[in-house]
Amino acid sequence: MIRLLLIVLLALLIGTGLSLGLQYDLGYIRISLGHYLIETNFWIGLGLLIALVVLSVLLINLIRRLRASTGLVAGWIARSNERRARRRTTQGLLALAEGNWPRARKLLTSSASHADTPLINYLAAAQAAFESGDHDAVDELLRKAFDSTPGSDLAVGITQAQLQLAGNRLEQALATLVRLRKQSPHHPFVLKLLKNTYLRLEDWRELSKLLPELRKRNVLPEAELNTLERQVWHNLLEWAAEDCRRRQQQDPDASLEPLTRLWDELPGFLRRDEYTIRDYARLLASLGDEVQTETLLRKVLRNHWSDELINLYGRVQGQKPDEQLLLAEQWLKDRPNNPELLLALGRLSLRNELWGKAKEYFETSLRLKRSREALAELSRLNAHMGEEETSIKLMMQGLARDNGLPELPMPRA
């Protein structure tokens, strides 16, 4: 109220001042612009000047308000686009989870430009394109994902490698993962994907180089890693043995150096592993080096007993078969009821031409365990000793056992 009274009072004072001023002639205002001349009374000129100032101020305020209102409209439009993008992104992810690949790809791609996280949109859209079988679109969407977010090279590369592996594009996946490993040498998931790629490519040599890093970074559980390591070195041993066979075809006196050198490269725990020793010994024996096989098995069996290895020991011929038999008979003192050892002793007795002893060992082994091998060995021995009827009977027992024949009445001969 007081403010209004002050304004009215000020207006009255100004009006009074103007009315008094108009009674006096203060001259005129003359303005020359080129060929134009403007003359006016002082008071009229002053009024026009004041009006011009007022209009200028009003115009400036109007422009400021228009700019502010434009920013508000733009902000409202931007927020509206963001809300729409979030809604369409959610719908796209739901469609992806439901397996509706075309709809998911359309929603995710169209909303990516206004989304808070365009990288997620493009990566999910690439997944949908892959499921639709459009590999060209996958590459394009992954490129857009990389361009949309600085520092996303690793995330995009891992997604690309996963999709390449899923599409059985193994060479492309390998190239992608090798590039990623150069950028992040110790990244666990990159190492795991690289392991899967080498495994599917059956690149055992490169996988063997990767194994120490997998163990160091704890990429796999211990049991799984040990199994993988056995598989890798088993295949490398097979590969080396095949290389030796090719050499022997060209030169019968060729050495087994590729195989024996690889054995020396094996990690210590595998050189003590029963199954790896068995594989190596079998390969050595198959390549004709039974003497070295017998030496290896003898050393192992002295410190670590294995039924599989003693079975193999009875099959190979050492440099001195008689000493080989004596050593096995010493083991029998500690394991008198071991059927595999008795079977091996029977075979070693045959190698020393001790027919009666061999027959006794085979029969004892059969009493402890009705194995196919023991039946076959005893049947063969009886046939060569002139006991055809016993040999045939044993052979028939073996056939019935191997084929799971039931006990049924048979006619008498």
Side-chain angles (χ1 to χ4, degrees):
M1 187 68 180
I2 296 175
R3 182 181 298 178
L4 180 60
L5 290 173
L6 290 174
I7 292 173
V8 171
L9 181 59
L10 182 61
L12 290 173
L13 290 173
I14 293 173
T16 304
L18 288 174
S19 63
L20 292 174
L22 289 174
Q23 296 176 6
Y24 299 95
D25 185 7
L26 298 179
Y28 63 92
I29 296 174
R30 182 178 181 180
I31 300 174
S32 177
L33 294 174
H35 299 291
Y36 298 96
L37 182 64
I38 301 174
E39 289 184 0
T40 181
N41 182 276
F42 173 79
W43 292 108
I44 295 175
L46 182 60
L48 291 173
L49 182 61
I50 293 172
L52 181 62
V53 172
V54 171
L55 287 173
S56 298
V57 172
L58 291 175
L59 182 61
I60 292 172
N61 287 334
L62 179 61
I63 292 172
R64 287 178 176 175
R65 289 189 178 186
L66 287 174
R67 290 181 62 183
S69 64
T70 303
L72 290 173
V73 172
W76 178 82
I77 293 174
R79 287 191 294 273
S80 178
N81 288 335
E82 290 175 359
R83 287 194 298 270
R84 187 181 300 108
R86 283 194 291 270
R87 184 173 64 252
R88 291 174 69 85
T89 298
T90 302
Q91 293 172 348
L93 292 174
L94 287 173
L96 183 68
E98 294 168 358
N100 191 343
W101 318 125
R103 174 175 169 79
R105 176 180 166 187
K106 180 180 178 181
L107 289 169
L108 291 166
T109 306
S110 63
S111 59
S113 57
H114 297 292
D116 298 328
T117 54
L119 177 66
I120 302 300
N121 285 60
Y122 284 125
L123 292 180
Q127 176 71 36
F130 169 78
E131 297 293 350
S132 300
D134 192 347
H135 295 295
D136 293 335
V138 171
D139 295 335
E140 177 64 19
L141 288 166
L142 290 175
R143 184 190 63 78
K144 289 182 177 180
F146 175 76
D147 294 338
S148 70
T149 309
S152 62
D153 188 30
L154 186 61
V156 174
I158 287 176
T159 302
Q160 184 178 30
Q162 287 179 297
L163 295 179
Q164 288 168 338
L165 281 172
N168 206 34
R169 301 161 68 189
L170 301 180
E171 297 295 341
Q172 293 92 327
L174 179 60
T176 302
L177 290 167
V178 168
R179 174 176 58 82
L180 291 176
R181 194 184 179 196
K182 289 180 180 178
Q183 296 175 1
S184 302
H186 310 306
H187 194 285
F189 195 53
V190 172
L191 293 174
K192 187 173 184 178
L193 290 176
L194 196 56
K195 180 268 297 183
N196 293 339
T197 306
Y198 283 137
L199 194 59
R200 290 174 62 178
L201 286 170
E202 297 185 356
D203 192 340
W204 309 114
R205 176 54 69 182
E206 288 300 322
L207 193 50
S208 70
K209 297 176 183 178
L210 188 65
L211 285 171
E213 189 70 17
L214 294 175
R215 187 176 293 279
K216 183 177 180 180
R217 303 297 166 188
N218 295 319
V219 175
L220 300 174
E222 186 71 17
E224 183 179 349
L225 187 60
N226 290 337
T227 301
L228 175 64
E229 199 154 9
R230 287 191 186 95
Q231 181 184 5
V232 169
W233 288 103
H234 168 80
N235 283 282
L236 285 174
L237 288 170
E238 291 282 356
W239 177 86
E242 188 60 33
D243 185 31
C244 292
R245 290 189 186 94
R246 287 193 295 268
R247 294 187 178 199
Q248 286 180 339
Q249 290 175 357
Q250 298 174 358
D251 179 10
D253 297 327
S255 70
L256 305 182
E257 189 264 343
L259 182 60
T260 55
R261 184 181 69 248
L262 186 64
W263 173 258
D264 293 335
E265 293 178 13
L266 259 66
F269 88 96
L270 282 178
R271 295 181 64 180
R272 297 185 296 272
D273 178 67
E274 173 185 340
Y275 302 103
T276 308
I277 294 170
R278 178 200 62 193
D279 292 341
Y280 177 61
R282 284 177 176 173
L283 290 172
L284 271 180
S286 69
L287 291 168
D289 196 345
E290 294 192 14
V291 173
Q292 187 174 346
T293 305
E294 189 272 333
T295 302
L296 171 67
L297 292 173
R298 179 173 7 104
K299 291 179 179 178
V300 174
L301 287 167
R302 279 175 176 169
N303 301 308
H304 175 75
W305 186 260
S306 165
D307 285 351
E308 284 198 61
L309 295 183
I310 192 59
N311 184 290
L312 184 57
Y313 187 76
R315 292 173 174 269
V316 299
Q317 180 176 353
Q319 193 169 10
K320 297 180 179 180
D322 55 337
E323 293 183 5
Q324 193 176 349
L325 176 60
L326 289 174
L327 178 62
E329 287 178 333
Q330 290 177 7
W331 293 335
L332 186 63
K333 295 176 183 178
D334 297 326
R335 299 170 182 83
N337 297 319
N338 188 299
E340 292 295 338
L341 175 56
L342 290 163
L343 174 61
L345 282 166
R347 285 168 169 163
L348 293 173
S349 298
L350 289 178
R351 203 172 293 283
N352 286 276
E353 299 184 4
L354 302 173
W355 320 123
K357 180 180 283 191
K359 183 177 181 180
E360 182 180 347
Y361 280 134
F362 288 144
E363 289 174 344
T364 307
S365 177
L366 273 174
R367 282 196 296 270
L368 295 170
K369 180 183 176 181
R370 301 290 290 183
S371 71
R372 180 179 62 183
E373 287 187 79
L375 278 170
E377 290 288 8
L378 185 57
S379 175
R380 180 171 64 173
L381 179 59
N382 281 324
H384 284 82
M385 292 178 69
E387 301 178 12
E388 288 83 1
E389 184 176 347
T390 304
S391 175
I392 292 172
K393 183 177 180 181
L394 289 168
M395 190 180 299
M396 294 301 296
Q397 290 177 2
L399 286 171
R401 184 176 181 274
D402 292 344
N403 292 281
L405 301 181
E407 290 290 338
L408 295 173
M410 291 291 167
R412 294 181 179 275

